[in-house]
Amino acid sequence: MILVTGGAGFIGANFVLDWLNGNGEGVINLDKLTYAGNLQTLASLESDPRHVFVQGDIGDRELVSRLLQEYQVRAVINFAAESHVDRSIHGPGEFIQTNVVGTFNLLEAVRAYWNALEGEAKAAFRFLHVSTDEVYGTLSATDAPFSESNRYEPNSPYSASKAASDHLVRAWHHTYGLPVLTTNCSNNYGPYHFPEKLIPLVILNALAGKPLPIYGDGQQIRDWLYVKDHCSAIRTVLAQGRLGETYNVGGWNEKANLDVVHTICSILDTLRPKADGTGYAEQITYVQDRPGHDRRYAIDARKLERELGWKPAETFESGIRKTVQWYLDNQDWVSNVTSGNYRQWLEQHYGNKA
Ligand code: NAD
Ligand code: DAU
């Protein structure tokens, strides 16, 4: 089996769903179920014996050690993290606790388990750490996209905590020989994205007739990747990545925030025109900028393509259309998230299973 951490969050849950869709190998899903963890996303796996959900913390070494042993895990994929930049500005403590101290404890539990393995099981074992392009800092309009050899220059408490975790993973390979792989990915979007992040927030606020908040001048650039393409990149790196290497993952889709918001508005104008005949873009509102806001991210994903043959399947145009349609088609998931009911839903639907 594989152990996935943070598999009730946005990317982790998409990964688990895709993995079990295309593969018979079971998944132990270890997730603390913070506000960002939503088991409703995994409701289709409720009676699937290949999915074992365990509520717990990656920092709980005893629990992780027990799971590794009990299920004879052959690979760990670490998605668990505090992931929202704005939250890290308001309260960095949890980010240090989970992203840095949690990753350290996870690495130590994994190292002890891996040390005791022998032969083929030891040689085949992998620890894949899922990280972000934000560790590289910010680019000017004319800089080349981030490559794997760019310096780490994190600017927010979130990116600094992820950078620290990347360094721990690297050191556990260099010093102890732990068979690690690291991926640094750009901004993801797609189904099951928690509406604190730009794209789902704009879709849901637009439909609710609320303001669409643009930080600063809206000219900050992000490089967008459809979440299922990120999942396929992780599967590729897990299967074929060279030990100790890092791989940048991106969609070659640089867009200014304001353009992203206008694109969503015009898709909604077509798919769900407003009764009063006005356009959704009229809801755009400029708000105070994020402190320390990185101006531009862009990923050079050529290493992953050259060495492992990975390429994204979606363009931004196809992926964003699918995403808007998904939010229109999944009102139950949306209303449970926006009302906060998804947290009670856990008790009602999973009870002791969670
Ligand atoms: P998310 O916030 O949606 O999900 C995080 C999940 O981790 C949640 O289910 C949460 O309950 C769980 N979790 C938090 N603390 C935990 C702990 N101590 N122990 C166990 N579980 C814990 O995040 P996401 O957007 O799915 O991101 C997943 C990973 O991918 C993160 O490591 C993030 O840094 C990285 N990443 C995200 C993006 C993006 O655009 N969202 C891009 C690149 C990399
Ligand atoms: O680059 C990868 C990173 O992408 C991941 O590591 C993070 O986990 C993920 O949250 C994301 O970080 P961002 O800060 O780029 O994502 P967010 O959706 O919060 O914001 C995207 C851009 O939109 C950013 O420039 C800030 C801006 N923004 C965001 C919100 C929520 C707004 O203008 N208005 C908003 O209301």
Side-chain angles (χ1 to χ4, degrees):
M1 289 184 80
I2 60 166
L3 172 63
V4 168
T5 72
F10 164 49
I11 306 173
N14 273 287
F15 180 85
V16 169
L17 290 168
D18 286 3
W19 181 272
L20 291 174
N21 216 1
N23 190 319
E25 193 178 20
V27 174
I28 307 147
N29 185 346
L30 173 65
D31 195 296
K32 189 175 170 184
L33 296 180
T34 67
Y35 79 92
N38 184 351
L39 278 183
Q40 197 168 3
T41 304
L42 300 165
S44 62
L45 303 176
E46 212 173 329
S47 52
D48 189 330
R50 296 171 306 159
H51 180 239
V52 179
F53 181 78
V54 179
Q55 184 170 8
D57 194 317
I58 54 165
D60 183 343
R61 248 191 250 187
E62 224 179 279
L63 171 65
V64 174
S65 302
R66 183 167 62 69
L67 294 175
L68 291 167
Q69 273 301 334
E70 192 176 328
Y71 294 97
Q72 287 299 295
V73 167
R74 68 132 183 126
V76 176
I77 300 147
N78 183 31
F79 292 94
E82 290 292 337
S83 70
H84 188 37
V85 174
D86 293 321
R87 284 182 194 255
S88 83
I89 296 168
H90 290 293
E94 276 301 307
F95 288 72
I96 303 305
Q97 204 49 46
T98 284
N99 301 0
V100 186
V101 182
T103 304
F104 159 68
N105 281 307
L106 179 65
L107 281 166
E108 280 297 81
V110 170
R111 181 165 75 93
Y113 170 74
W114 173 75
N115 266 334
L117 291 176
E118 286 175 356
E120 179 50 26
K122 187 164 192 170
F125 186 83
R126 297 287 182 271
F127 179 94
L128 191 152
H129 180 61
V130 179
S131 193
T132 171
D133 59 358
E134 298 200 13
V135 298
Y136 299 120
T138 188
L139 295 168
S140 74
T142 53
D143 285 337
F146 300 128
S147 83
E148 289 80 359
S149 56
N150 269 63
R151 252 174 56 177
Y152 270 37
E153 292 181 339
N155 289 321
S156 73
Y158 163 68
S159 54
S161 69
K162 290 296 290 186
S165 69
D166 292 9
H167 291 325
L168 293 175
V169 171
R170 176 189 160 88
W172 261 238
H173 174 70
H174 193 80
T175 301
Y176 303 115
L178 194 70
V180 308
L181 301 154
T182 298
T183 53
N184 293 90
C185 189
S186 62
N187 284 63
N188 285 214
Y189 67 100
Y192 306 113
H193 204 180
F194 193 76
E196 64 186 354
K197 309 280 169 66
L198 180 70
I199 287 182
L201 181 99
V202 164
I203 298 170
L204 299 186
N205 277 14
L207 291 169
K210 292 183 182 164
L212 311 179
I214 305 283
Y215 296 167
D217 63 3
Q219 292 307 315
Q220 303 83 4
I221 290 172
R222 298 292 180 267
D223 183 351
W224 294 96
L225 182 69
Y226 193 62
V227 63
K228 295 195 179 294
D229 280 327
H230 188 189
C231 295
S232 78
I234 291 170
R235 292 195 300 274
T236 302
V237 172
L238 182 67
Q240 307 167 44
R242 285 189 291 131
L243 293 185
E245 290 291 315
T246 66
Y247 294 90
N248 282 356
V249 187
W252 303 103
N253 281 312
E254 285 186 57
K255 306 275 174 208
N257 292 338
L258 194 57
D259 294 338
V260 169
V261 174
H262 274 290
T263 302
I264 294 170
C265 290
S266 69
I267 296 172
L268 282 173
D269 285 339
T270 310
L271 296 179
R272 186 65 61 86
K274 288 196 338 185
D276 64 5
T278 62
Y280 288 98
E282 289 181 35
Q283 290 166 229
I284 289 175
T285 315
Y286 290 87
V287 300
Q288 200 178 14
D289 208 353
R290 171 186 280 173
H293 200 170
D294 285 338
R295 196 70 184 163
R296 173 177 167 236
Y297 303 143
I299 276 279
D300 177 344
R302 281 177 298 179
K303 176 178 174 184
L304 184 51
E305 183 175 349
R306 194 175 57 245
E307 290 191 9
L308 309 183
W310 177 87
K311 267 193 200 176
E314 299 288 345
T315 62
F316 185 70
E317 289 62 35
S318 62
I320 194 69
R321 192 162 273 279
K322 278 188 187 175
T323 303
V324 173
Q325 189 67 56
W326 186 89
Y327 278 90
L328 290 173
D329 292 344
N330 287 274
Q331 281 304 313
D332 276 1
W333 187 90
V334 166
S335 59
N336 275 318
V337 166
T338 46
S339 68
N341 279 350
Y342 73 104
R343 300 192 69 84
Q344 285 105 49
W345 191 93
L346 300 181
E347 308 286 316
Q348 285 163 18
H349 289 261
Y350 280 83
N352 294 334
K353 272 193 270 182

